[in-house]
Amino acid sequence: MPEQNPLREMVTKRKLGIHCGIPSFCSANKLVIEAILEQAQRFDERVVIEATSNQVNQNGGYMRMQPKDFCDYVYQIADRIGFSHDKILIGGDHLGPLPWADKPAAEAMDNAETLVRLSVAAGYKKIHLDTSMKLGDDPVDERLSDETIAERGARLYKACEEEYQKLLERNPDEMHPVFVIGSEVPIPGGNQKKEDDVEVTRPEDFERTLVAYHKVFAQYGLADAFQHIIAIVVQPGVEFGNLSVHAYDRVEATKLCQSLKKYPDIVFEGHSTDYQSPKKLKEMVEDGIAIIKVGPALTYAMREALFALAMMEDELIADESKRSHYREILEAKMLEDPTYWKKYYKGDENSVAIQRRYGFSDRSRYYTALPDVENAMNKLFKNLDEVTIPTGILHQYMPLQYQKVRDGSLSPKARDLAKYSIVAMVEDYNYAAKVNYMFGGFSIG
């Protein structure tokens, strides 16, 4: 018998009144994944790692990987640190026609079906079916109907089930993937509008979406699909842009979260929960937003640490020609190809330059895997490991890491200093999702 998917177990525990949720770490960055897996080793627990359809697809995405490549990539990182593959749930975010949204619906959906089939065949165990966007020949002046969204979602779900049956033929113990649906899906990478414009999903819209999916799935002969659909994406009132964050307000979300109580077999998935405080994240999990997804905040934390290390390098490496020039190389690559940031950053030249470096949407993450940028990062680590970082300089630029190094719980190696910034972000999510989580050596749950 196949092992039950741990995400389904999470829903079952919540039905019994047990506080639990799960962070979903949406990143394809090597250093980020390494930090997440190392932190998961603390309690020998499962971890969800996801890639978006823009990052990974049959055409390569911006990571130049297909789904099988992404799985191999994550497992190679796990092997390097001794983390069991069985503890990793690999997922796909926004799987659907998003990368081909400018194409006619027939072509875009054919591409989307190929993508989800490859994802299931590769071993993805959490799949977000996102068919919420308009496609090339959809009417521009009409709202995309729930029925159309659900019909496209049902087609992709059916393709996933067909691929899973092929896996079962080869391995009768193959774990069944679980699915997330939803028509109110925040765009990947943060809001381009004012954060004050964020509106909580209305309960009637959430329930209308569920009705549409149930109806269409029954028509497709997929009436049992909701055994494997565990969550629906809604907008609970959390969002971030380049310059600010809209914090969760459980009062504003009360009606939406109360409406979920009528449907105990599903939970909400919160996209764009980046930069929420630990307290707000925990409130979200308590209120039914049990899958809390984070992406850009992870690479933002990494970028923040790398910039701090580069500033220390400027202080400690007198010969400028020997420095990594990490910040300058990253900036040069972003200017060389503005594809991934230009439409996201508004204002005068100075304002745009500041957003490129420090904007919460962290469009720099699209450039960190480039060979020149990755080489600069490795040179930065090497340079700092060849000198002793004075404690005063470490305190100045990395006060959190300074405390850990001072107390002997963190290595002063540059790579470890950088990863700790990511770990600090991961800890916020683990604290929110788990009972009596040991944060920094002390129980605060």
Side-chain angles (χ1 to χ4, degrees), residues 39 42-43 404 407 409 420 423 427 431 436-445:
Q39 187 62 3
R42 284 184 63 195
F43 298 114
K404 294 290 182 180
D407 297 341
S409 60
Y420 184 76
V423 167
E427 287 282 58
Y431 163 66
N436 295 324
Y437 186 74
M438 297 294 289
F439 184 86
F442 298 93
S443 175
I444 60 173

Side-chain angles (χ1 to χ4, degrees), residues 147 206-217 226 263:
E147 290 71 24
F206 151 58
E207 295 191 76
R208 190 176 66 239
T209 296
L210 273 183
V211 168
Y213 272 94
H214 274 287
K215 179 180 177 182
V216 170
F217 275 55
F226 275 83
Y263 308 96

Side-chain angles (χ1 to χ4, degrees), residues 241-280:
N242 292 315
L243 304 174
S244 61
V245 178
H246 191 287
Y248 180 62
D249 184 335
R250 71 189 325 174
V251 175
E252 289 183 357
T254 296
K255 290 182 180 179
L256 172 64
C257 293
Q258 285 181 339
S259 68
L260 181 64
K261 294 178 180 178
K262 292 187 282 185
Y263 308 96
D265 291 318
I266 61 170
V267 298
F268 288 146
E269 176 167 294
H271 282 227
S272 302
T273 70
D274 304 67
Y275 309 107
Q276 298 291 315
S277 71
K279 179 175 182 260
K280 294 297 185 182

Side-chain angles (χ1 to χ4, degrees), residues 36 44 50 59 72 89 93 101-102 104 202 216 263 274 276 325 345 379 429:
I36 291 167
D44 191 29
E50 296 197 47
N59 300 326
D72 292 342
L89 295 175
D93 191 28
D102 59 332
R202 297 185 305 170
V216 170
Y263 308 96
D274 304 67
Q276 298 291 315
H325 299 287
Y345 298 150
K379 186 174 182 181
Y429 285 80

Side-chain angles (χ1 to χ4, degrees), residues 24 38-39 45 57 59 83 93 97 144 158 163 166 201 211 230 243 260 365 386 427 433 443:
S24 181
E38 287 180 345
Q39 187 62 3
E45 60 191 9
N57 58 53
N59 300 326
F83 193 83
D93 191 28
L144 198 61
K158 186 172 184 292
E163 289 302 317
K166 294 177 185 177
T201 298
V211 168
I230 64 160
L243 304 174
L260 181 64
R365 71 186 186 276
E386 290 177 349
E427 287 282 58
S443 175

